[in-house]
Amino acid sequence: MKIAVAKGDGIGPEIMQAVLDIFTANKVPIEYEYVDMGKWVFDKGYSNGMTPEAQQTIEDLGILFKGPMETPKGKGVKSVNVTARKTWNTYANKRVFQTLHGVDTVFSKAGIPIDLTIVRENIEDTYGGIEHMLTHDVALSRRFITRPGSLQVIKYAFEMASKNGSKRITCGHKANIMKITDGLFLEVFYEVAKEYPHLKADDVIVDDLCMKLVSRPQEFDVVVLTNLQGDIVSDLCAGLVGGLGFAPSANIGDHICIFEAVHGTAPDIAGKNIANPTALLLSGIAMLRHLGMMENAATIENALLYTLESGVHTGDFGDKSIPSVNTTVFANAIISNLGKTPTHGARPMLPNQPATQTVFKLEENPMIMSKEPEDELIVGVDMFIESSEQPMVIAEKCLLHVGDVFKLVTISNRGTQVWPKGSVFTNMVNQYSARFESVGGAAVTQTDILELYRALMADFKICSTELLNKWGDKNAYSLAQGQ
Amino acid sequence: MKIAVAKGDGIGPEIMQAVLDIFTANKVPIEYEYVDMGKWVFDKGYSNGMTPEAQQTIEDLGILFKGPMETPKGKGVKSVNVTARKTWNTYANKRVFQTLHGVDTVFSKAGIPIDLTIVRENIEDTYGGIEHMLTHDVALSRRFITRPGSLQVIKYAFEMASKNGSKRITCGHKANIMKITDGLFLEVFYEVAKEYPHLKADDVIVDDLCMKLVSRPQEFDVVVLTNLQGDIVSDLCAGLVGGLGFAPSANIGDHICIFEAVHGTAPDIAGKNIANPTALLLSGIAMLRHLGMMENAATIENALLYTLESGVHTGDFGDKSIPSVNTTVFANAIISNLGKTPTHGARPMLPNQPATQTVFKLEENPMIMSKEPEDELIVGVDMFIESSEQPMVIAEKCLLHVGDVFKLVTISNRGTQVWPKGSVFTNMVNQYSARFESVGGAAVTQTDILELYRALMADFKICSTELLNKWGDKNAYSLAQGQ
């Protein structure tokens, strides 16, 4: 078994060394192939933060174990961490948060045990980074949620929850506001739930979830969320167990998986051999389980828990009355505790399993798609136009150009209807949406849309357009606020 | 002084009665005009949840004090709470979270005091509710952030922080990912900060903020955020002080302000006179301060704090060894404590002030706009097309139609580049973005865009378009991941 290892920037190399030393001491049957990724690779001129050789090696081996990495600021380059997750389609980010005895938190002091798994969608949402300025005042980020993308992560979450004997799986969402996007995610969640009748599946609005997580976190078991909400909730949960220094992260895809520490590179303490390797070690342990090396995983995790319980700690945590140790001493303490069993939360010695991962070559990009609806019609278009005039003036101009095919239905500004009726108190920005629907709900063609565009162009700058689709008798678009 | 009062649904009427009884006992110089809003108004057929008379009264009086309201589910109507906030342009949602002695939380047990104010943008973001299905698999929510909208809420936050003697004001954001939208919000934050040099202004990434709020909440003072992130963070903070039952909410606009309890209507206990009126009372106290009635506000708040400290509690909180009281008895306890001073966190008796609110009639909708840039060019267009073919096939078809004016620059799927280069591991959905930029970066016209649209139409369904703008030498759009 061979995996790719990227040591990372800052404290990356020294905490990776500590983890691999522990693996070696436990005779973990893995070989490591080191790859070039991170800040120094950007600095060499590779705009995605990795060399082509690194990319090839990772794609050949299918598993990347990585230290924290830095993306240079202000050069317009995108985060190497996000690029890795997206390019290799690691659609699920799994993060396990558990109370560690020896790591004091507000919750450990209150005697509240934490044992939570957050599964975050890892590809979609505003993380697509598709952003445009529509006018000099109006910025737009396209937040997309797809059915097959949601299906991938939700199926993973249910499968994982089922395998781990979880009792409850909860969908966090904001479908009360984002009815179409988060509504889709929630719909897919309950569709998949039907295949797992032994799991209690429910949902919670994300703000309510966060309120509950800071008061009664023990009520939750597995929570699955869209990307940004999952990002926020994951870090909140990291705070419950002591911070990112104690929170592992696994990025799961069908072909390639990435196990990494998500904390920073801590350049201020880099090279001093004082960094805390716990999060990277926990990520490594998750990788061992993923590879079916259950005995190694349990032995090393028990040694870590035993060491933390015994009060050994690096400078960033632990009982201040006990002197802190450096990274090497911390790792050696864990090595010397291999085979010991902690008092709290000892992991069971499960038999080794086959690796869940199968690496295979792809000939072309997988197109993930669900069944198409039987009847699909275009019934109109939203035209996003730049103007600083009053709604009535916009309406008059639109009505001048509307023709016979379409009718002007509503004009809104920042999502709130301002024509045909609205409130004079609604403040407006210089970007309106004018909604044109076909007369009598008839199907229209792209040529009809084009002709409307041509007509409106005479009076407006059209920043953006969105087709209005109808599937069966269901409108595939939202109403304006107040419409 | 007259204000509009909407009692709300469920427990709304009884907790409103309790609060107004306390106001009356303290001789608060306000008259109340009751207005019709809420579930029963929806049920009467008003699709926005309020009668036209209610709307008129609120617009005439400028202040709405409201109980919790329910929006009927599954009727396609929008939340009356959100409609009210948006229609009247209450651009800032201010929520104060403070430790209340007598209300036990994880944090009070750990001896960590909470004193935080969250200011949330209240109009923009995905709360615009502008959503479309682009294909049967791909849902889009348009997340917009505007410069003048950001300016309104951020100026309010700084002004409020300055007036209250706050020491630190922090912008929470996700500008590392949403570089254009949250980047704009952050840019405006630091522009406004220059006008308040006596305030320490800094920023924090929202996930890091949440991690810190559950471990060291005392580090923060005032935090300002965009709408969804602010929603999540507000409710997290409510959890820190005991839940929504202890968290007031004020929606501030230039013309109309709404003070409300944001907890639910609790239909299961409605009419039983056992609900906890604290959140609505705290919202009412915030309203008194807004109206300059500083003495009434301090007297009533001190009576509330004294009552909580003394162990009086409704059934939903407090020391279980002391029997709970009903809503009326709880309110009467506060009334009997008017004039008393609590041991912890007594509010100072400030002199009354003029009301900060001026109600005036508007002749037309305010257009909020910043200065236009001097040179603004259209340099291309993103075409969002439906296809389930491979990237190379899409590219060939696009190149066939590209003409002389444009060049095909990149094709991406879910924000990740798949042409001219990409990874075969990138999974795709049936919706691509093809980016066309003008040859040599020259300015193009809408007619050029129209002709490109016409040409591409032959081969593709074009779901959506976005102009690519350039202001001066700055591209007003993002790169694709991997571009």
Side-chain angles (χ1 to χ4, degrees), chain A residues 124 129 131-132 137 141-143 174 180-181 231 365 368 370 382 390 414 428 454 465-466 478, chain B residues 124 129 131-132 137 141-143 174 180-181 231 365 368 370 382 390 414 428 454 465-466 478:
Chain A
E124 308 192 338
E131 298 194 300
H132 298 80
D137 272 350
S141 178
R142 293 171 79 91
R143 177 182 198 260
K174 194 70 191 176
I180 293 184
T181 48
D231 183 13
N365 287 80
I368 50 174
S370 58
D382 283 346
Q390 285 289 308
R414 296 196 290 174
M428 301 180 311
R454 180 189 300 285
T465 64
E466 295 285 353
S478 60
Chain B
E124 308 192 338
E131 297 194 299
H132 299 80
D137 271 349
S141 177
R142 293 171 79 91
R143 177 183 197 260
K174 194 71 191 176
I180 293 184
T181 48
D231 182 12
N365 287 80
I368 52 174
S370 58
D382 282 346
Q390 285 287 307
R414 295 196 290 175
M428 302 179 312
R454 179 189 297 287
T465 64
E466 295 285 353
S478 60

Side-chain angles (χ1 to χ4, degrees), chain B residues 146-147 150-151 154 183-193:
Chain B
T146 78
R147 178 175 288 278
S150 301
L151 195 61
I154 291 169
L184 175 63
F185 191 77
L186 187 59
E187 185 181 306
V188 172
F189 175 84
Y190 280 116
E191 279 170 18
V192 175

Side-chain angles (χ1 to χ4, degrees), chain A residues 59 78 83 86-87 89 106 112 124 126-129 131-137 139-148 152 174 177-181 207 210-211 214 231-232 235-236 239 244 255 362 364-373 376 382 384 386 388 390 414-416 423-430 432 446-447 449-451 453-454 457 460-467 469 471 476-479 481, chain B residues 59 78 83 86-87 89 106 112 124 126-129 131-137 139-148 152 174 177-181 207 210-211 214 231-232 235-236 239 244 255 362 364-373 376 382 384 386 388 390 414-416 423-430 446-447 449-451 453-454 457 460-469 471 476-479 481:
Chain A
E59 294 182 0
K78 299 226 175 184
T83 298
K86 292 195 60 165
T87 302
N89 215 73
V106 177
I112 297 174
E124 308 192 338
T126 49
Y127 284 72
E131 298 194 300
H132 298 80
M133 295 293 297
L134 269 64
T135 77
H136 62 284
D137 272 350
L140 173 73
S141 178
R142 293 171 79 91
R143 177 182 198 260
F144 57 86
I145 301 293
T146 77
R147 178 176 288 278
Q152 282 184 327
K174 194 70 191 176
I177 295 294
M178 297 181 279
K179 291 178 201 277
I180 293 184
T181 48
D207 37 324
C210 289
M211 187 166 63
V214 301
D231 183 13
I232 294 173
D235 277 15
L236 185 166
L244 291 181
H255 312 295
L362 290 170
E364 57 173 33
N365 287 80
M367 168 64 60
I368 50 174
M369 214 169 99
S370 58
K371 205 168 141 281
E372 288 187 51
E376 182 173 335
D382 283 346
F384 295 84
E386 179 169 345
S388 55
Q390 285 289 308
R414 296 196 290 174
T416 300
S423 165
V424 76
F425 292 95
T426 304
N427 289 8
M428 301 180 311
V429 298
N430 65 348
Y432 286 89
Q446 290 203 83
T447 307
I449 305 286
L450 192 80
E451 289 314 313
Y453 190 109
R454 180 189 300 285
M457 224 172 72
F460 298 113
K461 180 173 174 187
I462 301 165
C463 311
S464 178
T465 64
E466 295 285 353
L467 287 192
N469 292 300
W471 295 318
Y477 51 94
S478 60
L479 296 184
Q481 194 87 34
Chain B
E59 293 182 1
K78 299 226 176 185
T83 297
K86 293 195 59 164
T87 303
N89 216 74
V106 178
I112 298 174
E124 308 192 338
T126 49
Y127 284 71
E131 297 194 299
H132 299 80
M133 295 293 295
L134 268 63
T135 76
H136 62 283
D137 271 349
L140 174 72
S141 177
R142 293 171 79 91
R143 177 183 197 260
F144 57 86
I145 301 292
T146 78
R147 178 175 288 278
Q152 282 184 325
K174 194 71 191 176
I177 295 294
M178 297 181 279
K179 290 177 202 279
I180 293 184
T181 48
D207 37 323
C210 289
M211 189 167 61
V214 300
D231 182 12
I232 294 172
D235 278 14
L236 186 165
L244 292 180
H255 313 295
L362 289 171
E364 57 175 31
N365 287 80
M367 168 62 60
I368 52 174
M369 214 169 100
S370 58
K371 207 168 139 282
E372 288 188 51
E376 183 174 335
D382 282 346
F384 295 84
E386 179 168 345
S388 55
Q390 285 287 307
R414 295 196 290 175
T416 299
S423 165
V424 75
F425 292 96
T426 304
N427 288 9
M428 302 179 312
V429 298
N430 65 348
Q446 291 202 83
T447 307
I449 306 285
L450 193 78
E451 289 313 313
Y453 190 110
R454 179 189 297 287
M457 224 172 72
F460 297 113
K461 179 173 175 188
I462 301 166
C463 311
S464 176
T465 64
E466 295 285 353
L467 287 192
L468 302 178
N469 292 299
W471 295 317
Y477 51 93
S478 60
L479 296 183
Q481 194 87 34

Side-chain angles (χ1 to χ4, degrees), chain B residues 15-298:
Chain B
I15 59 173
M16 183 60 81
Q17 192 57 52
V19 171
L20 298 186
D21 285 348
I22 296 166
F23 280 15
T24 301
N26 192 234
K27 300 190 169 49
V28 169
I30 297 181
E31 286 176 78
Y32 312 112
E33 184 151 343
Y34 295 94
V35 295
D36 296 340
M37 285 177 81
K39 182 170 184 299
W40 60 281
V41 182
F42 279 109
D43 291 345
K44 274 182 156 178
Y46 297 96
S47 67
N48 63 354
M50 61 181 98
T51 62
E53 295 74 25
Q55 179 160 354
Q56 189 60 52
T57 301
I58 294 160
E59 293 182 1
D60 287 346
L61 297 175
I63 299 281
L64 170 63
F65 187 33
K66 72 184 270 296
M69 285 175 194
E70 196 183 327
T71 300
K73 277 184 188 143
K75 290 193 181 173
V77 295
K78 299 226 176 185
S79 156
V80 59
N81 303 309
V82 177
T83 297
R85 291 172 207 156
K86 293 195 59 164
T87 303
W88 294 315
N89 216 74
T90 61
Y91 49 76
N93 177 231
K94 178 190 174 189
R95 293 174 69 185
V96 177
F97 304 98
Q98 291 179 315
T99 300
L100 296 168
H101 291 266
V103 182
D104 280 346
T105 70
V106 178
F107 291 80
S108 70
K109 284 178 200 157
I112 298 174
I114 311 289
D115 187 2
L116 274 167
T117 302
I118 305 294
V119 179
R120 162 187 169 192
E121 199 286 319
N122 221 8
I123 307 285
E124 308 192 338
D125 204 337
T126 49
Y127 284 71
I130 309 170
E131 297 194 299
H132 299 80
M133 295 293 295
L134 268 63
T135 76
H136 62 283
D137 271 349
V138 179
L140 174 72
S141 177
R142 293 171 79 91
R143 177 183 197 260
F144 57 86
I145 301 292
T146 78
R147 178 175 288 278
S150 301
L151 195 61
Q152 282 184 325
V153 63
I154 291 169
K155 261 186 186 278
Y156 168 78
F158 271 92
E159 197 56 36
M160 185 269 299
S162 180
K163 204 169 143 188
N164 291 354
S166 305
K167 284 183 184 62
R168 181 186 181 191
I169 178 165
T170 305
C171 179
H173 63 87
K174 194 71 191 176
N176 56 330
I177 295 294
M178 297 181 279
K179 290 177 202 279
I180 293 184
T181 48
D182 273 19
L184 175 63
F185 191 77
L186 187 59
E187 185 181 306
V188 172
F189 175 84
Y190 280 116
E191 279 170 18
V192 175
K194 286 185 203 149
E195 299 165 30
Y196 297 84
H198 56 290
L199 280 174
K200 179 177 185 294
D202 58 8
D203 70 278
V204 61
I205 292 178
V206 63
D207 37 323
D208 190 29
L209 171 65
C210 289
M211 189 167 61
K212 287 175 172 151
L213 283 172
V214 300
S215 44
R216 301 183 302 278
Q218 64 275 31
E219 288 181 7
F220 296 94
D221 187 343
V222 175
V223 185
V224 59
L225 303 107
T226 51
N227 205 341
L228 177 63
Q229 293 168 39
D231 182 12
I232 294 172
V233 171
S234 297
D235 278 14
L236 186 165
C237 290
L240 302 180
V241 298
L244 292 180
F246 301 95
S249 178
N251 299 286
I252 308 291
D254 287 338
H255 313 295
I256 293 169
C257 294
I258 305 168
F259 298 85
E260 62 183 337
V262 289
H263 55 66
T265 58
D268 52 320
I269 60 161
K272 295 185 179 170
N273 192 34
I274 58 171
N276 174 6
T278 305
L280 188 63
L281 180 57
L282 286 168
S283 301
I285 292 166
M287 178 177 71
L288 299 183
R289 290 212 169 87
H290 182 82
L291 296 172
M293 302 172 184
M294 311 310 271
E295 287 181 20
N296 290 118

